[in-house]
Amino acid sequence: MLTEAELQKKWENLTFTDDFIFSRVMHDENICRQVVELILGVRIGKIRYLSAQDEHKTDPDSMRIIMDVFLRDENRIINVEVQTGHKKELPKRSRYYQSVADVSTTATGTKYRDLPENILIFICTFDPFNRNFPRYTF
């Protein structure tokens, strides 16, 4: 069991990229909007749905994902993830996350042309492609 001083020190060392802090901060709609708009460089509409640490699966036997912050506005779905460990499979992970987001938010019978824009943001504490860019866009 940690002492109060140890807990205080641990609390003081938490940053925006800590899972708990990120979820709590980004669950505030105004802060979330500002962060997403700053990263994307565009205005987003009224947030209709905002969740943190949401588990998504396409079926019982599929691989599950936990979306750090998942939101919708009138025209798009946006998933914001924090990545603190350098994982080489980030491009395929992003593909999977976007496909699960599409499947979990699309009603049966929806026309492909009616699919909303699907944006996935990875906030990384490292340079995922080692090219010294502050931002990558695909």
Side-chain angles (χ1 to χ4, degrees), residues 86-105:
H86 195 328
K87 295 184 174 136
K88 302 234 185 261
E89 72 272 358
L90 202 56
K92 286 197 176 182
R93 182 176 182 195
S94 66
R95 184 179 106 188
Y96 189 73
Y97 269 56
Q98 284 192 289
S99 66
V100 171
D102 275 337
V103 169
S104 65
T105 60

Side-chain angles (χ1 to χ4, degrees), residues 26-105:
M26 291 293 283
H27 203 71
D28 179 291
E29 186 175 331
N30 291 324
I31 293 172
C32 182
R33 175 185 314 286
Q34 290 177 44
V35 169
V36 170
E37 288 179 348
L38 182 65
I39 290 169
L40 295 178
V42 297
R43 300 290 245 166
I44 60 172
K46 168 124 177 79
I47 295 175
R48 296 187 344 212
Y49 176 76
L50 174 64
S51 67
Q53 295 298 311
D54 250 7
E55 181 179 326
H56 292 260
K57 289 179 77 162
T58 55
D59 69 51
D61 295 326
S62 70
M63 181 169 54
R64 76 182 177 109
I65 63 171
I66 298 175
M67 295 185 180
D68 290 347
V69 175
F70 187 63
L71 62 110
R72 283 193 78 133
D73 72 0
E74 294 86 11
N75 305 312
R76 62 197 131 210
I77 53 178
I78 302 170
N79 178 16
V80 185
E81 299 289 320
V82 169
Q83 211 47 73
T84 58
H86 195 328
K87 295 184 174 136
K88 302 234 185 261
E89 72 272 358
L90 202 56
K92 286 197 176 182
R93 182 176 182 195
S94 66
R95 184 179 106 188
Y96 189 73
Y97 269 56
Q98 284 192 289
S99 66
V100 171
D102 275 337
V103 169
S104 65
T105 60

